[in-house]
Amino acid sequence: MKFSLVAALVVVLALALGSESVSVVKREAPEIEKLTQYFQDLSAMLTRTTQDLVEKLKAHELAGQAQAYIEDGKTQLQPLAEKIQEQLKPLASNIEAQLKPLAESVQAQIKPMADTVQAQLEDIWQKLLDQTKALGQ
């Protein structure tokens, strides 16, 4: 805002100098024109800089608001997450208690079958080795 006022003041000053340059002697006119151009360029640069600064401030403000929103959401959800976790612990323990005997039962039923399959595979392997030796002789 202050930059805009300064820029406007510079423009008014440049225009005042430009209007006075008409009455100045012709030999000083190029210097006045250069000075007027300088002030116009300075005014344009200040205007661009002010606009860029305002945009950056808005962007920074939005980022700050987003961060505050995230922190607020995190603060609100943290107790809820802890409560859900506390409620799920007994459920998980209960499920584990129910599945453990079932898993032991299934394992007890499968072990004899697995032992039988292993013995059969060892027999097949031994027969294969014996046949290979017989072919080699």
Side-chain angles (χ1 to χ4, degrees):
M1 190 72 137
K2 291 180 182 179
F3 289 115
S4 297
L5 291 174
V6 170
L9 182 63
V10 169
V11 170
V12 169
L13 184 62
L15 290 175
L17 286 174
S19 65
E20 288 181 18
S21 68
V22 173
S23 62
V24 176
V25 182
K26 260 190 170 180
R27 60 187 167 120
E28 294 181 7
E31 292 175 6
I32 299 289
E33 288 176 13
K34 287 180 185 178
L35 189 58
T36 302
Q37 184 62 40
Y38 172 76
F39 280 120
Q40 288 174 349
D41 292 344
L42 182 62
S43 172
M45 183 187 71
L46 286 174
T47 302
R48 282 192 311 271
T49 304
T50 303
Q51 290 172 349
D52 291 346
L53 185 60
V54 167
E55 288 175 12
K56 287 178 183 178
L57 287 174
K58 285 180 183 177
H60 182 68
E61 185 177 307
L62 286 176
Q65 287 176 350
Q67 184 66 29
Y69 180 74
I70 289 171
E71 291 296 326
D72 186 40
K74 189 176 181 180
T75 303
Q76 291 176 1
L77 291 177
Q78 186 67 28
L80 180 63
E82 290 172 359
K83 184 185 273 187
I84 290 172
Q85 189 176 15
E86 288 177 24
Q87 290 175 354
L88 288 178
K89 281 182 183 179
L91 178 64
S93 298
N94 187 15
I95 290 173
E96 183 180 354
Q98 289 178 2
L99 289 180
K100 189 172 185 178
L102 181 62
E104 290 172 353
S105 172
V106 169
Q107 189 176 14
Q109 291 175 4
I110 291 178
K111 181 147 177 52
M113 287 187 254
D115 291 342
T116 304
V117 169
Q118 183 177 0
Q120 290 175 353
L121 286 174
E122 288 175 356
D123 287 344
I124 292 172
W125 181 254
Q126 189 60 44
K127 287 179 184 178
L128 182 66
L129 287 177
D130 292 344
Q131 288 177 359
T132 305
K133 284 181 186 176
L135 288 175
Q137 293 178 353

